[in-house]
Amino acid sequence: MEKQFKISSALKNIIGKDLIVDDFVAIFELVKNSFDANSKHVEVSFKNIIDGESKLVIQDDGKGMDLDDIDNKWLFVAYSAKKEGTEDYRDEIKSKRIHAGAKGIGRFSCDRLGEKLSIYSRRNENSKFSKLTIDWADFEDNMQTNFDSINVNYQLVDSCPYGLSVGTILEISHLRSKWGGDKLISLRQSLEKLINPSQNNQGDSFSITLNACEFFRA
């Protein structure tokens, strides 16, 4: 008799907020994913972090994702097209941080950072936007629920609440951590260290902008 592993919905925590325990590492992994998607620029924006519904928006101008990419790559837990060699990614950013994304689990950095996630993405200006919406609490109701039985919402939409022509936007809301001026300055300094290795090793342009209008605008 042969049997297969059963996967509890608690897997989300194990490879998400329980594994990626540092906010900076979580943001680094998401920025690195943008770099791997051939982005020239990534904008990291904090919104309403003092009062209101706190959000972190990470926007890039990379190659974007369509339904097939979302279904067979982003939602394919632990799968990494980069590691498998099926896509032409840039060289890895060389740094001393933890490379969770290289293992195909960097997408769960979103769970570390906030309770809800909306993704907007498209590959060309003439297509509709792919929108994926996830409420991470759906995976926490019952540990005996199978991980792959929990639905997430996917749809094609005509518009995006942010200015996006081609690329991907991660909108992470209900942030789990407090972000103040000192922490944001430390994040900016850390992101500055992240840029130089990518340019030295690759030679092409890559930039990061950090916006937190309640404290500063970089």
Side-chain angles (χ1 to χ4, degrees), residues 29-209:
E29 290 305 322
L30 298 176
V31 170
K32 187 180 76 68
N33 286 348
S34 294
F35 179 84
D36 288 341
N38 293 327
S39 301
K40 296 293 186 182
H41 181 71
V42 177
E43 188 164 343
V44 179
S45 301
F46 288 85
K47 303 176 183 293
N48 303 321
I49 52 178
I50 295 179
D51 296 306
E53 182 181 320
S54 58
K55 291 182 180 180
L56 169 60
V57 179
I58 300 177
Q59 177 171 348
D60 69 50
D61 58 358
K63 60 186 178 182
M65 296 184 290
D66 57 19
L67 174 58
D68 182 71
D69 293 320
I70 289 176
D71 191 24
N72 295 311
K73 295 174 185 175
W74 206 94
L75 290 173
F76 197 171
V77 177
Y79 174 77
S80 172
K82 176 181 179 182
K83 188 172 183 180
E84 190 180 44
T86 58
E87 292 196 16
D88 183 21
Y89 286 106
R90 301 179 185 185
D91 293 337
E92 284 189 23
I93 297 173
K94 295 181 180 179
S95 68
K96 297 180 180 179
R97 60 193 171 86
I98 299 171
H99 289 279
K103 302 176 181 67
I105 59 174
R107 69 212 71 178
F108 287 94
S109 295
C110 300
D111 175 37
R112 163 67 196 180
L113 294 166
E115 298 175 10
K116 300 178 186 295
L117 169 67
S118 293
I119 298 177
Y120 297 88
S121 191
R122 67 175 176 178
R123 281 188 171 275
N124 63 76
E125 296 182 4
N126 297 320
S127 65
K128 291 188 175 183
F129 294 93
S130 297
K131 181 182 179 182
L132 180 70
T133 305
I134 299 174
D135 185 339
W136 297 113
D138 292 341
F139 294 83
E140 299 174 357
D141 289 339
N142 187 347
M143 291 180 61
Q144 295 192 15
T145 302
N146 285 349
F147 182 87
D148 59 358
S149 70
I150 299 173
N151 294 323
V152 296
N153 183 265
Y154 173 84
Q155 57 185 317
L156 291 173
V157 296
D158 294 322
S159 61
C160 170
Y162 305 94
L164 178 68
S165 55
V166 175
T168 299
I169 291 175
L170 305 177
E171 181 191 76
I172 302 167
S173 58
H174 298 86
L175 302 184
R176 300 187 190 276
S177 299
K178 296 292 184 181
W179 289 86
D182 291 342
K183 187 174 181 179
L184 288 165
I185 290 172
S186 295
L187 174 62
R188 181 168 63 182
Q189 293 170 342
S190 298
L191 290 174
E192 288 172 351
K193 295 176 183 178
L194 186 63
I195 296 174
N196 291 333
S198 70
Q199 294 185 357
N200 290 339
N201 291 319
Q202 188 64 28
D204 57 359
S205 175
F206 179 69
S207 61
I208 304 170
T209 298

Side-chain angles (χ1 to χ4, degrees), residues 12-24:
K12 187 273 297 182
N13 286 351
I14 294 173
I15 60 178
K17 59 185 180 182
D18 291 349
L19 174 64
I20 305 171
V21 296
D22 184 275
D23 291 331
F24 289 5

